[in-house]
Amino acid sequence: METVTGIGGVFFRANDPEALTRWYATHLGVVGENGLPWQQKAGYTVFAPFPANSDYFTADRQWMINFRVSDLDAMIAQLKAADIAVETRAEWDGAAGRFARIHDPEGNPIELWEPPKQTAPEG
């Protein structure tokens, strides 16, 4: 069976696409180089539909993007320095890693995820 090899893009409507593109580039580093699209670092991508009545993210939105980060504390500090509200909850953190939530200027939910550090097997 042929399968997809990854996510090729995330497309969504915006009231001001140019301003929103600049916000993502400025605050999250989602920007391409040399006329090419943004290239993410290799890593896990969770693909998980949620029940329609889930309260995991804002009920008035159909999607939430999750970005991997290598240092959640540094990202949170950077966002707060730019006056971007950041939400954290102890119950979000655990074996799957650490999480924080923000919203872009148009109210779209964004989850930031620091995966657990990989430990070398003993032996």
Side-chain angles (χ1 to χ4, degrees):
M1 177 179 136
E2 185 67 23
T3 62
V4 299
T5 59
I7 294 175
V10 175
F11 307 98
F12 57 101
R13 299 178 197 282
N15 293 317
D16 189 341
E18 293 79 19
L20 206 52
T21 297
R22 285 190 304 275
W23 186 90
Y24 277 88
T26 299
H27 299 292
L28 300 177
V30 179
V31 62
E33 295 181 13
N34 302 321
L36 297 173
W38 171 62
Q39 184 169 347
Q40 63 179 325
K41 294 182 180 179
Y44 294 108
T45 299
V46 176
F47 183 82
F50 280 69
N53 63 350
S54 172
D55 62 359
Y56 192 69
F57 54 93
T58 314
D60 66 335
R61 302 298 170 153
Q62 293 296 315
W63 63 275
M64 176 176 67
I65 193 161
N66 170 296
F67 288 117
R68 286 186 312 270
V69 300
S70 58
D71 186 338
L72 186 60
D73 293 326
M75 178 61 79
I76 289 171
Q78 171 184 301
L79 293 166
K80 286 183 175 182
D83 292 325
I84 296 170
V86 179
E87 181 182 3
T88 59
R89 294 185 190 173
E91 64 266 22
W92 291 344
D93 301 343
R98 297 176 56 223
F99 298 86
R101 301 265 178 89
I102 62 173
H103 289 82
D104 72 18
E106 294 198 8
N108 297 306
I110 299 166
E111 185 170 64
L112 303 171
W113 170 44
E114 181 183 326
K117 303 294 185 228
Q118 298 294 328
T119 57
E122 293 184 27

